[in-house]
Amino acid sequence: MKLYFVSRNESKIEEITDMLQLRAAKAPLDIELMPVRENVQEILSPALEDVVRLKAYEAYRLVHHPCVVEHGGLFFDHAKDFPGVFGRIVWRSLQDRMTAFLRDGDSRQAVARAYLGYCDGRRIHIFRGETTGEVAQAARGEYNRNSWDPIFIPRGSTTTYGEMGMAEKRSTSPLIKAWELFLTELDAATARDRGRET
């Protein structure tokens, strides 16, 4: 099965390719990831699910095949839904100064969320992965990955996503969690289809 992933984010494409290769090493995997490096329309909405739903619709119109899109955000507990879906925009403008939104005494707790949208041509299916953690005092690690990675420390770790290699990040990545939910559902749907054929 060819699975079209519409994204221009090379880090996310690399992360998903790595995950699929690991799954294939454990058991046969009838999925060929087909990255489509195109931009699709993103609405300015604080609701991640709404953003992903429209992206999935636009992606299907672009490729005319069942396809997947993703959008994520970092949500500071103390700042309600900020920066949320606007994290990439804020990061491009401020980079590590994003941490300055939290003052001394403010909670540094945060949640990293990733929403996956899969459009099969009839319906749009949404899958969510999330990881709790905290905002670092200052950015640490690579800046050329997923925008706010250098300021997010997942629970149970002392390093930011920006400092982690792919193998270390894999166990807590909200993107991987969303994809795992999606692939589980895809496997179940495939099994149901085979059952109808027999």
Side-chain angles (χ1 to χ4, degrees), residues 74 76 82-83 87-102 108 135-144 147-152 160:
L74 182 62
F76 295 176
F82 186 83
R88 184 173 56 195
I89 297 168
V90 175
W91 179 263
R92 283 178 179 165
S93 299
L94 301 176
Q95 293 197 356
D96 60 344
R97 287 178 291 160
M98 272 178 71
T99 61
F101 286 110
L102 299 175
R108 302 198 76 79
V135 180
Q137 294 288 339
R140 305 193 312 258
E142 292 183 38
Y143 285 75
N144 61 347
S147 60
W148 40 261
D149 273 7
I151 67 168
F152 181 70
T160 69

Side-chain angles (χ1 to χ4, degrees), residues 24-97:
K26 295 175 184 174
L29 191 64
D30 186 27
I31 293 176
E32 180 184 1
L33 189 69
M34 307 293 291
V36 179
R37 293 168 172 87
E38 297 285 347
N39 279 331
V40 291
Q41 181 180 353
E42 293 180 3
I43 59 172
L44 288 175
S45 167
L48 258 177
E49 185 170 336
D50 293 344
V51 174
V52 169
R53 194 173 295 280
L54 180 62
K55 281 178 75 170
Y57 171 74
E58 293 293 337
Y60 187 85
R61 288 182 57 191
L62 175 71
V63 300
H64 304 290
H65 292 286
C67 58
V68 181
V69 297
E70 184 274 345
H71 200 88
L74 182 62
F75 297 79
F76 295 176
D77 281 7
H78 189 79
K80 203 150 180 165
D81 290 329
F82 186 83
V85 297
F86 310 112
R88 184 173 56 195
I89 297 168
V90 175
W91 179 263
R92 283 178 179 165
S93 299
L94 301 176
Q95 293 197 356
D96 60 344
R97 287 178 291 160

